[in-house]
mmCIF file with all atom_site columns, all heavy atoms in Angstrom:
data_model
loop_
_atom_site.group_PDB
_atom_site.id
_atom_site.type_symbol
_atom_site.label_atom_id
_atom_site.label_alt_id
_atom_site.label_comp_id
_atom_site.label_asym_id
_atom_site.label_entity_id
_atom_site.label_seq_id
_atom_site.pdbx_PDB_ins_code
_atom_site.Cartn_x
_atom_site.Cartn_y
_atom_site.Cartn_z
_atom_site.occupancy
_atom_site.B_iso_or_equiv
_atom_site.pdbx_formal_charge
_atom_site.auth_seq_id
_atom_site.auth_comp_id
_atom_site.auth_asym_id
_atom_site.auth_atom_id
_atom_site.pdbx_PDB_model_num
ATOM 1   N N   . MET A 1 1   ? 0.818  -1.207 0.000   1.00 73.00 ? 1   MET A N   1
ATOM 2   C CA  . MET A 1 1   ? 0.000  0.000  0.000   1.00 73.00 ? 1   MET A CA  1
ATOM 3   C C   . MET A 1 1   ? 0.854  1.260  0.000   1.00 73.00 ? 1   MET A C   1
ATOM 4   O O   . MET A 1 1   ? 0.573  2.236  -0.709  1.00 73.00 ? 1   MET A O   1
ATOM 5   C CB  . MET A 1 1   ? -0.914 0.002  1.227   1.00 73.00 ? 1   MET A CB  1
ATOM 6   C CG  . MET A 1 1   ? -1.878 1.169  1.253   1.00 73.00 ? 1   MET A CG  1
ATOM 7   S SD  . MET A 1 1   ? -3.010 1.140  -0.150  1.00 73.00 ? 1   MET A SD  1
ATOM 8   C CE  . MET A 1 1   ? -3.927 2.647  0.169   1.00 73.00 ? 1   MET A CE  1
ATOM 9   N N   . VAL A 1 6   ? 3.185  6.186  -2.524  1.00 92.00 ? 6   VAL A N   1
ATOM 10  C CA  . VAL A 1 6   ? 4.374  6.964  -2.876  1.00 92.00 ? 6   VAL A CA  1
ATOM 11  C C   . VAL A 1 6   ? 4.511  7.074  -4.390  1.00 92.00 ? 6   VAL A C   1
ATOM 12  O O   . VAL A 1 6   ? 4.927  8.117  -4.920  1.00 92.00 ? 6   VAL A O   1
ATOM 13  C CB  . VAL A 1 6   ? 5.628  6.341  -2.243  1.00 92.00 ? 6   VAL A CB  1
ATOM 14  C CG1 . VAL A 1 6   ? 6.893  7.034  -2.750  1.00 92.00 ? 6   VAL A CG1 1
ATOM 15  C CG2 . VAL A 1 6   ? 5.558  6.429  -0.724  1.00 92.00 ? 6   VAL A CG2 1
ATOM 16  N N   . GLY A 1 11  ? 4.478  10.467 -9.002  1.00 94.00 ? 11  GLY A N   1
ATOM 17  C CA  . GLY A 1 11  ? 3.968  10.780 -10.333 1.00 94.00 ? 11  GLY A CA  1
ATOM 18  C C   . GLY A 1 11  ? 3.480  12.215 -10.427 1.00 94.00 ? 11  GLY A C   1
ATOM 19  O O   . GLY A 1 11  ? 3.730  12.899 -11.430 1.00 94.00 ? 11  GLY A O   1
ATOM 20  N N   . ALA A 1 13  ? 4.591  14.693 -8.569  1.00 96.00 ? 13  ALA A N   1
ATOM 21  C CA  . ALA A 1 13  ? 5.785  15.536 -8.515  1.00 96.00 ? 13  ALA A CA  1
ATOM 22  C C   . ALA A 1 13  ? 6.491  15.573 -9.864  1.00 96.00 ? 13  ALA A C   1
ATOM 23  O O   . ALA A 1 13  ? 6.970  16.629 -10.293 1.00 96.00 ? 13  ALA A O   1
ATOM 24  C CB  . ALA A 1 13  ? 6.730  15.024 -7.424  1.00 96.00 ? 13  ALA A CB  1
ATOM 25  N N   . ARG A 1 20  ? 6.648  22.685 -15.185 1.00 91.00 ? 20  ARG A N   1
ATOM 26  C CA  . ARG A 1 20  ? 7.210  23.956 -14.720 1.00 91.00 ? 20  ARG A CA  1
ATOM 27  C C   . ARG A 1 20  ? 8.271  24.513 -15.668 1.00 91.00 ? 20  ARG A C   1
ATOM 28  O O   . ARG A 1 20  ? 8.635  25.692 -15.562 1.00 91.00 ? 20  ARG A O   1
ATOM 29  C CB  . ARG A 1 20  ? 7.803  23.776 -13.324 1.00 91.00 ? 20  ARG A CB  1
ATOM 30  C CG  . ARG A 1 20  ? 8.213  25.081 -12.679 1.00 91.00 ? 20  ARG A CG  1
ATOM 31  C CD  . ARG A 1 20  ? 8.542  24.928 -11.220 1.00 91.00 ? 20  ARG A CD  1
ATOM 32  N NE  . ARG A 1 20  ? 8.964  26.198 -10.654 1.00 91.00 ? 20  ARG A NE  1
ATOM 33  C CZ  . ARG A 1 20  ? 8.142  27.161 -10.275 1.00 91.00 ? 20  ARG A CZ  1
ATOM 34  N NH1 . ARG A 1 20  ? 6.849  26.994 -10.404 1.00 91.00 ? 20  ARG A NH1 1
ATOM 35  N NH2 . ARG A 1 20  ? 8.601  28.298 -9.764  1.00 91.00 ? 20  ARG A NH2 1
ATOM 36  N N   . ALA A 1 26  ? 12.177 32.648 -19.260 1.00 91.00 ? 26  ALA A N   1
ATOM 37  C CA  . ALA A 1 26  ? 12.677 34.025 -19.221 1.00 91.00 ? 26  ALA A CA  1
ATOM 38  C C   . ALA A 1 26  ? 13.789 34.209 -18.197 1.00 91.00 ? 26  ALA A C   1
ATOM 39  O O   . ALA A 1 26  ? 14.122 35.340 -17.846 1.00 91.00 ? 26  ALA A O   1
ATOM 40  C CB  . ALA A 1 26  ? 11.534 34.990 -18.925 1.00 91.00 ? 26  ALA A CB  1
ATOM 41  N N   . THR A 1 31  ? 18.781 25.914 -17.378 1.00 94.00 ? 31  THR A N   1
ATOM 42  C CA  . THR A 1 31  ? 19.735 24.816 -17.246 1.00 94.00 ? 31  THR A CA  1
ATOM 43  C C   . THR A 1 31  ? 19.432 23.983 -16.011 1.00 94.00 ? 31  THR A C   1
ATOM 44  O O   . THR A 1 31  ? 19.437 22.746 -16.053 1.00 94.00 ? 31  THR A O   1
ATOM 45  C CB  . THR A 1 31  ? 21.163 25.370 -17.170 1.00 94.00 ? 31  THR A CB  1
ATOM 46  O OG1 . THR A 1 31  ? 21.452 26.087 -18.362 1.00 94.00 ? 31  THR A OG1 1
ATOM 47  C CG2 . THR A 1 31  ? 22.170 24.241 -17.010 1.00 94.00 ? 31  THR A CG2 1
ATOM 48  N N   . ALA A 1 46  ? 15.012 4.474  -11.127 1.00 90.00 ? 46  ALA A N   1
ATOM 49  C CA  . ALA A 1 46  ? 15.452 3.757  -9.933  1.00 90.00 ? 46  ALA A CA  1
ATOM 50  C C   . ALA A 1 46  ? 14.255 3.303  -9.099  1.00 90.00 ? 46  ALA A C   1
ATOM 51  O O   . ALA A 1 46  ? 14.230 2.169  -8.588  1.00 90.00 ? 46  ALA A O   1
ATOM 52  C CB  . ALA A 1 46  ? 16.372 4.655  -9.099  1.00 90.00 ? 46  ALA A CB  1
ATOM 53  N N   . VAL A 1 94  ? 31.643 22.294 -14.835 1.00 94.00 ? 94  VAL A N   1
ATOM 54  C CA  . VAL A 1 94  ? 31.346 22.064 -13.414 1.00 94.00 ? 94  VAL A CA  1
ATOM 55  C C   . VAL A 1 94  ? 30.423 20.856 -13.231 1.00 94.00 ? 94  VAL A C   1
ATOM 56  O O   . VAL A 1 94  ? 30.751 19.912 -12.501 1.00 94.00 ? 94  VAL A O   1
ATOM 57  C CB  . VAL A 1 94  ? 30.716 23.316 -12.766 1.00 94.00 ? 94  VAL A CB  1
ATOM 58  C CG1 . VAL A 1 94  ? 30.321 23.026 -11.321 1.00 94.00 ? 94  VAL A CG1 1
ATOM 59  C CG2 . VAL A 1 94  ? 31.690 24.487 -12.823 1.00 94.00 ? 94  VAL A CG2 1
ATOM 60  N N   . VAL A 1 99  ? 29.286 15.138 -11.868 1.00 94.00 ? 99  VAL A N   1
ATOM 61  C CA  . VAL A 1 99  ? 28.592 13.856 -12.025 1.00 94.00 ? 99  VAL A CA  1
ATOM 62  C C   . VAL A 1 99  ? 29.596 12.730 -12.222 1.00 94.00 ? 99  VAL A C   1
ATOM 63  O O   . VAL A 1 99  ? 29.454 11.641 -11.640 1.00 94.00 ? 99  VAL A O   1
ATOM 64  C CB  . VAL A 1 99  ? 27.608 13.929 -13.212 1.00 94.00 ? 99  VAL A CB  1
ATOM 65  C CG1 . VAL A 1 99  ? 27.037 12.549 -13.522 1.00 94.00 ? 99  VAL A CG1 1
ATOM 66  C CG2 . VAL A 1 99  ? 26.472 14.896 -12.899 1.00 94.00 ? 99  VAL A CG2 1
ATOM 67  N N   . TYR A 1 140 ? 18.955 27.764 -0.531  1.00 96.00 ? 140 TYR A N   1
ATOM 68  C CA  . TYR A 1 140 ? 17.526 28.113 -0.457  1.00 96.00 ? 140 TYR A CA  1
ATOM 69  C C   . TYR A 1 140 ? 16.965 28.104 0.953   1.00 96.00 ? 140 TYR A C   1
ATOM 70  O O   . TYR A 1 140 ? 15.773 28.373 1.135   1.00 96.00 ? 140 TYR A O   1
ATOM 71  C CB  . TYR A 1 140 ? 16.723 27.146 -1.331  1.00 96.00 ? 140 TYR A CB  1
ATOM 72  C CG  . TYR A 1 140 ? 16.868 27.426 -2.807  1.00 96.00 ? 140 TYR A CG  1
ATOM 73  C CD1 . TYR A 1 140 ? 17.765 26.709 -3.586  1.00 96.00 ? 140 TYR A CD1 1
ATOM 74  C CD2 . TYR A 1 140 ? 16.122 28.434 -3.402  1.00 96.00 ? 140 TYR A CD2 1
ATOM 75  C CE1 . TYR A 1 140 ? 17.909 26.979 -4.930  1.00 96.00 ? 140 TYR A CE1 1
ATOM 76  C CE2 . TYR A 1 140 ? 16.261 28.710 -4.753  1.00 96.00 ? 140 TYR A CE2 1
ATOM 77  C CZ  . TYR A 1 140 ? 17.155 27.984 -5.511  1.00 96.00 ? 140 TYR A CZ  1
ATOM 78  O OH  . TYR A 1 140 ? 17.296 28.262 -6.849  1.00 96.00 ? 140 TYR A OH  1
ATOM 79  N N   . GLU A 1 156 ? 18.061 12.846 -0.273  1.00 95.00 ? 156 GLU A N   1
ATOM 80  C CA  . GLU A 1 156 ? 19.376 12.461 -0.781  1.00 95.00 ? 156 GLU A CA  1
ATOM 81  C C   . GLU A 1 156 ? 20.109 11.574 0.231   1.00 95.00 ? 156 GLU A C   1
ATOM 82  O O   . GLU A 1 156 ? 20.708 10.560 -0.139  1.00 95.00 ? 156 GLU A O   1
ATOM 83  C CB  . GLU A 1 156 ? 20.194 13.719 -1.075  1.00 95.00 ? 156 GLU A CB  1
ATOM 84  C CG  . GLU A 1 156 ? 19.684 14.564 -2.220  1.00 95.00 ? 156 GLU A CG  1
ATOM 85  C CD  . GLU A 1 156 ? 20.182 14.065 -3.550  1.00 95.00 ? 156 GLU A CD  1
ATOM 86  O OE1 . GLU A 1 156 ? 20.885 13.031 -3.583  1.00 95.00 ? 156 GLU A OE1 1
ATOM 87  O OE2 . GLU A 1 156 ? 19.886 14.701 -4.576  1.00 95.00 ? 156 GLU A OE2 1
ATOM 88  N N   . GLU A 1 165 ? 29.953 3.220  2.583   1.00 79.00 ? 165 GLU A N   1
ATOM 89  C CA  . GLU A 1 165 ? 30.859 2.336  3.310   1.00 79.00 ? 165 GLU A CA  1
ATOM 90  C C   . GLU A 1 165 ? 30.908 2.667  4.796   1.00 79.00 ? 165 GLU A C   1
ATOM 91  O O   . GLU A 1 165 ? 31.248 1.816  5.613   1.00 79.00 ? 165 GLU A O   1
ATOM 92  C CB  . GLU A 1 165 ? 32.279 2.433  2.733   1.00 79.00 ? 165 GLU A CB  1
ATOM 93  C CG  . GLU A 1 165 ? 32.468 1.686  1.428   1.00 79.00 ? 165 GLU A CG  1
ATOM 94  C CD  . GLU A 1 165 ? 33.921 1.690  1.000   1.00 79.00 ? 165 GLU A CD  1
ATOM 95  O OE1 . GLU A 1 165 ? 34.710 2.447  1.602   1.00 79.00 ? 165 GLU A OE1 1
ATOM 96  O OE2 . GLU A 1 165 ? 34.265 0.957  0.063   1.00 79.00 ? 165 GLU A OE2 1
ATOM 97  N N   . VAL A 1 170 ? 22.045 0.404  10.703  1.00 66.00 ? 170 VAL A N   1
ATOM 98  C CA  . VAL A 1 170 ? 20.667 0.592  11.159  1.00 66.00 ? 170 VAL A CA  1
ATOM 99  C C   . VAL A 1 170 ? 19.857 -0.623 10.730  1.00 66.00 ? 170 VAL A C   1
ATOM 100 O O   . VAL A 1 170 ? 20.115 -1.233 9.691   1.00 66.00 ? 170 VAL A O   1
ATOM 101 C CB  . VAL A 1 170 ? 20.059 1.879  10.575  1.00 66.00 ? 170 VAL A CB  1
ATOM 102 C CG1 . VAL A 1 170 ? 20.731 3.116  11.145  1.00 66.00 ? 170 VAL A CG1 1
ATOM 103 C CG2 . VAL A 1 170 ? 20.139 1.887  9.057   1.00 66.00 ? 170 VAL A CG2 1
ATOM 104 N N   . ALA A 1 183 ? 9.442  9.622  -1.058  1.00 96.00 ? 183 ALA A N   1
ATOM 105 C CA  . ALA A 1 183 ? 8.327  10.385 -0.514  1.00 96.00 ? 183 ALA A CA  1
ATOM 106 C C   . ALA A 1 183 ? 8.767  11.794 -0.118  1.00 96.00 ? 183 ALA A C   1
ATOM 107 O O   . ALA A 1 183 ? 8.062  12.780 -0.379  1.00 96.00 ? 183 ALA A O   1
ATOM 108 C CB  . ALA A 1 183 ? 7.730  9.657  0.682   1.00 96.00 ? 183 ALA A CB  1
ATOM 109 N N   . TRP A 1 191 ? 5.471  20.829 -2.408  1.00 96.00 ? 191 TRP A N   1
ATOM 110 C CA  . TRP A 1 191 ? 5.443  22.008 -1.555  1.00 96.00 ? 191 TRP A CA  1
ATOM 111 C C   . TRP A 1 191 ? 6.068  23.206 -2.260  1.00 96.00 ? 191 TRP A C   1
ATOM 112 O O   . TRP A 1 191 ? 5.603  24.343 -2.124  1.00 96.00 ? 191 TRP A O   1
ATOM 113 C CB  . TRP A 1 191 ? 6.160  21.727 -0.243  1.00 96.00 ? 191 TRP A CB  1
ATOM 114 C CG  . TRP A 1 191 ? 6.127  22.890 0.701   1.00 96.00 ? 191 TRP A CG  1
ATOM 115 C CD1 . TRP A 1 191 ? 7.147  23.753 1.006   1.00 96.00 ? 191 TRP A CD1 1
ATOM 116 C CD2 . TRP A 1 191 ? 4.999  23.326 1.478   1.00 96.00 ? 191 TRP A CD2 1
ATOM 117 N NE1 . TRP A 1 191 ? 6.737  24.680 1.909   1.00 96.00 ? 191 TRP A NE1 1
ATOM 118 C CE2 . TRP A 1 191 ? 5.413  24.452 2.215   1.00 96.00 ? 191 TRP A CE2 1
ATOM 119 C CE3 . TRP A 1 191 ? 3.690  22.866 1.605   1.00 96.00 ? 191 TRP A CE3 1
ATOM 120 C CZ2 . TRP A 1 191 ? 4.564  25.131 3.076   1.00 96.00 ? 191 TRP A CZ2 1
ATOM 121 C CZ3 . TRP A 1 191 ? 2.837  23.540 2.469   1.00 96.00 ? 191 TRP A CZ3 1
ATOM 122 C CH2 . TRP A 1 191 ? 3.279  24.657 3.185   1.00 96.00 ? 191 TRP A CH2 1
ATOM 123 N N   . GLY A 1 192 ? 7.126  22.953 -3.032  1.00 94.00 ? 192 GLY A N   1
ATOM 124 C CA  . GLY A 1 192 ? 7.729  24.031 -3.803  1.00 94.00 ? 192 GLY A CA  1
ATOM 125 C C   . GLY A 1 192 ? 6.766  24.605 -4.829  1.00 94.00 ? 192 GLY A C   1
ATOM 126 O O   . GLY A 1 192 ? 6.726  25.830 -5.046  1.00 94.00 ? 192 GLY A O   1
ATOM 127 N N   . GLU A 1 193 ? 5.967  23.757 -5.458  1.00 94.00 ? 193 GLU A N   1
ATOM 128 C CA  . GLU A 1 193 ? 4.969  24.243 -6.408  1.00 94.00 ? 193 GLU A CA  1
ATOM 129 C C   . GLU A 1 193 ? 3.938  25.108 -5.699  1.00 94.00 ? 193 GLU A C   1
ATOM 130 O O   . GLU A 1 193 ? 3.523  26.151 -6.220  1.00 94.00 ? 193 GLU A O   1
ATOM 131 C CB  . GLU A 1 193 ? 4.291  23.049 -7.085  1.00 94.00 ? 193 GLU A CB  1
ATOM 132 C CG  . GLU A 1 193 ? 3.167  23.420 -8.048  1.00 94.00 ? 193 GLU A CG  1
ATOM 133 C CD  . GLU A 1 193 ? 3.649  24.161 -9.269  1.00 94.00 ? 193 GLU A CD  1
ATOM 134 O OE1 . GLU A 1 193 ? 4.874  24.250 -9.486  1.00 94.00 ? 193 GLU A OE1 1
ATOM 135 O OE2 . GLU A 1 193 ? 2.791  24.673 -10.020 1.00 94.00 ? 193 GLU A OE2 1
ATOM 136 N N   . GLU A 1 236 ? 27.149 56.938 -5.048  1.00 85.00 ? 236 GLU A N   1
ATOM 137 C CA  . GLU A 1 236 ? 26.350 58.025 -5.603  1.00 85.00 ? 236 GLU A CA  1
ATOM 138 C C   . GLU A 1 236 ? 25.451 58.687 -4.563  1.00 85.00 ? 236 GLU A C   1
ATOM 139 O O   . GLU A 1 236 ? 24.642 59.551 -4.905  1.00 85.00 ? 236 GLU A O   1
ATOM 140 C CB  . GLU A 1 236 ? 25.518 57.497 -6.770  1.00 85.00 ? 236 GLU A CB  1
ATOM 141 C CG  . GLU A 1 236 ? 26.380 56.931 -7.891  1.00 85.00 ? 236 GLU A CG  1
ATOM 142 C CD  . GLU A 1 236 ? 25.552 56.439 -9.070  1.00 85.00 ? 236 GLU A CD  1
ATOM 143 O OE1 . GLU A 1 236 ? 24.341 56.717 -9.112  1.00 85.00 ? 236 GLU A OE1 1
ATOM 144 O OE2 . GLU A 1 236 ? 26.145 55.796 -9.968  1.00 85.00 ? 236 GLU A OE2 1
ATOM 145 N N   . PHE A 1 247 ? 13.699 47.604 -0.344  1.00 85.00 ? 247 PHE A N   1
ATOM 146 C CA  . PHE A 1 247 ? 14.337 48.915 -0.389  1.00 85.00 ? 247 PHE A CA  1
ATOM 147 C C   . PHE A 1 247 ? 13.896 49.737 0.816   1.00 85.00 ? 247 PHE A C   1
ATOM 148 O O   . PHE A 1 247 ? 12.708 49.858 1.108   1.00 85.00 ? 247 PHE A O   1
ATOM 149 C CB  . PHE A 1 247 ? 13.969 49.636 -1.681  1.00 85.00 ? 247 PHE A CB  1
ATOM 150 C CG  . PHE A 1 247 ? 14.564 49.006 -2.902  1.00 85.00 ? 247 PHE A CG  1
ATOM 151 C CD1 . PHE A 1 247 ? 13.848 48.067 -3.631  1.00 85.00 ? 247 PHE A CD1 1
ATOM 152 C CD2 . PHE A 1 247 ? 15.840 49.333 -3.316  1.00 85.00 ? 247 PHE A CD2 1
ATOM 153 C CE1 . PHE A 1 247 ? 14.399 47.471 -4.756  1.00 85.00 ? 247 PHE A CE1 1
ATOM 154 C CE2 . PHE A 1 247 ? 16.403 48.749 -4.436  1.00 85.00 ? 247 PHE A CE2 1
ATOM 155 C CZ  . PHE A 1 247 ? 15.677 47.806 -5.157  1.00 85.00 ? 247 PHE A CZ  1
ATOM 156 N N   . PRO A 1 261 ? 8.275  55.260 -4.168  1.00 59.00 ? 261 PRO A N   1
ATOM 157 C CA  . PRO A 1 261 ? 8.474  54.146 -5.090  1.00 59.00 ? 261 PRO A CA  1
ATOM 158 C C   . PRO A 1 261 ? 8.730  54.590 -6.521  1.00 59.00 ? 261 PRO A C   1
ATOM 159 O O   . PRO A 1 261 ? 9.066  53.772 -7.364  1.00 59.00 ? 261 PRO A O   1
ATOM 160 C CB  . PRO A 1 261 ? 7.142  53.386 -4.987  1.00 59.00 ? 261 PRO A CB  1
ATOM 161 C CG  . PRO A 1 261 ? 6.148  54.419 -4.595  1.00 59.00 ? 261 PRO A CG  1
ATOM 162 C CD  . PRO A 1 261 ? 6.884  55.375 -3.723  1.00 59.00 ? 261 PRO A CD  1
ATOM 163 N N   . GLY A 1 288 ? 3.400  44.115 -13.369 1.00 78.00 ? 288 GLY A N   1
ATOM 164 C CA  . GLY A 1 288 ? 2.014  44.183 -13.815 1.00 78.00 ? 288 GLY A CA  1
ATOM 165 C C   . GLY A 1 288 ? 1.045  43.458 -12.939 1.00 78.00 ? 288 GLY A C   1
ATOM 166 O O   . GLY A 1 288 ? -0.152 43.767 -12.923 1.00 78.00 ? 288 GLY A O   1
#
Side-chain angles (χ1 to χ4, degrees):
M1 184 62 182
V6 173
R20 189 169 178 80
T31 299
V94 176
V99 171
Y140 285 98
E156 293 276 3
E165 283 187 349
V170 292
W191 182 255
E193 177 67 9
E236 300 182 11
F247 292 94

